[in-house]
Amino acid sequence: MSFVALIPARLKSTRLPNKPLADIGGKPMVVRVIEQVLKSSASLVCVATDDEQIKAAVEAAGYRAILTRDDHPSGTDRLAEMVDLLGLSDDAVVVNVQGDEPLIDPSLIDAVAAKLIEDASLAMSTACHTIDNAADFANPNVVKVVLDAKQRAMYFSRAPIPWPRDAFMHDRSVLPPDLMPLRHIGIYGYRAGFLRTYRELSPSYIESIEALEQLRVLWHGYAIGVHITAHAPVAGVDTPEDLARVRNVFSQLP
């Protein structure tokens, strides 16, 4: 299996300043992410950054980073610039791994890439896992996805979907046993050619209403394959508390 893993990393963060350079067991977080991604089957791992400090930190550790423009409206646009800078062919598979996930499961990266490698009809791929409680199902911060028979996304929403009409007429405090709602996991795979196309796609109505960028892809008629994983992934680093949790994990490693 051959694919490219790209790691976007920016210094600007309102909740955790200089996040990619935060020390985790003696190494910057972005380097910890690279080391984890290298455990996957990716043939190339590269950081995409708009900051010289991040680039220097990555290169000091012996890895590759490329400077991108600092005016991209989204991370996807940054990836589109990267596929051009790397000279990737349109059929190359690219997996976007966030630069704040030093504990990401390498097998999840491989599974997202495999969706595209195995199905030429897909423009994108992503992942999900089963929701097992009513609170998460109702939570608008938990993004849900509904799939078709071929495990392609039909729709993403912050609303509780699919809605169990009959069961919820009587009790909404528990999920009915025959309902298996799916929580979207924010990891994406792309064909390089589609990333080039994405830059030209106009924003969609549903994307702005739900505040979910991936809906632009469905709006314009492109297919997104979804890998169902058995377990929820370890949370990334968004806050000082998250950073302390991850530091504790690394402190216990041999």
Side-chain angles (χ1 to χ4, degrees):
M1 182 164 59
S2 179
F3 65 92
V4 175
L6 298 182
I7 304 170
R10 302 177 70 234
L11 276 186
K12 297 176 182 177
S13 173
T14 55
R15 288 185 288 184
L16 191 59
N18 299 329
K19 182 165 65 170
L21 300 179
D23 181 86
I24 298 177
K27 297 180 182 180
M29 178 160 57
V30 66
V31 172
R32 291 295 188 184
V33 175
I34 295 169
E35 292 175 342
Q36 196 71 357
V37 176
L38 285 169
K39 298 174 186 176
S40 74
S41 301
S43 55
L44 171 65
V45 178
C46 185
V47 171
T49 184
D50 58 4
D51 191 277
E52 287 280 5
Q53 295 179 71
I54 295 175
K55 183 174 184 289
V58 170
E59 291 176 342
Y63 303 119
R64 187 174 182 183
I66 292 180
L67 279 177
T68 63
R69 297 188 349 237
D70 62 1
D71 60 348
H72 287 298
S74 73
T76 311
D77 292 286
R78 188 177 309 281
L79 293 180
E81 181 187 1
M82 280 291 289
V83 301
D84 288 341
L85 292 173
L86 290 170
L88 300 182
S89 64
D90 279 350
D91 60 353
V93 170
V94 176
V95 177
N96 175 20
V97 180
Q98 294 303 317
D100 58 5
E101 296 195 35
L103 295 173
I104 189 167
D105 182 355
S107 67
L108 181 62
I109 300 171
D110 286 345
V112 169
K115 277 286 180 182
L116 290 170
I117 293 169
E118 295 167 1
D119 188 346
S121 71
L122 302 175
M124 274 181 60
S125 59
T126 188
C128 68
H129 68 86
T130 303
I131 296 172
D132 60 8
N133 65 83
D136 282 348
F137 187 54
N139 186 347
N141 294 315
V142 174
V143 177
K144 276 69 69 173
V145 59
V146 172
L147 309 183
D148 68 10
K150 295 182 179 180
Q151 290 191 3
R152 295 175 299 192
M154 297 173 64
Y155 192 66
F156 297 87
S157 183
R158 298 183 182 279
I161 57 172
W163 181 260
R165 185 196 66 173
D166 294 342
F168 272 11
M169 287 178 63
H170 306 289
D171 184 3
R172 299 185 186 181
S173 64
V174 295
L175 298 178
D178 59 343
L179 180 70
M180 292 188 296
L182 299 171
R183 177 176 187 164
H184 177 231
I185 301 170
I187 180 173
Y188 295 100
Y190 307 85
R191 297 195 191 282
F194 176 70
L195 281 169
R196 295 182 172 108
T197 299
Y198 182 89
R199 292 179 292 196
E200 311 304 322
L201 297 180
S202 59
S204 65
Y205 167 76
I206 54 173
E207 169 192 357
S208 60
I209 291 295
E210 294 259 20
L212 296 174
E213 186 180 331
Q214 64 269 35
L215 288 174
R216 184 183 311 184
V217 179
L218 299 182
W219 174 269
H220 287 279
Y222 293 93
I224 302 176
V226 185
H227 167 71
I228 304 175
T229 183
H231 306 288
V234 177
V237 177
D238 287 321
T239 66
E241 293 76 18
D242 292 336
L243 181 58
R245 169 180 50 81
V246 170
R247 282 172 170 165
N248 182 58
V249 171
F250 275 90
S251 71
Q252 299 178 44
L253 296 177

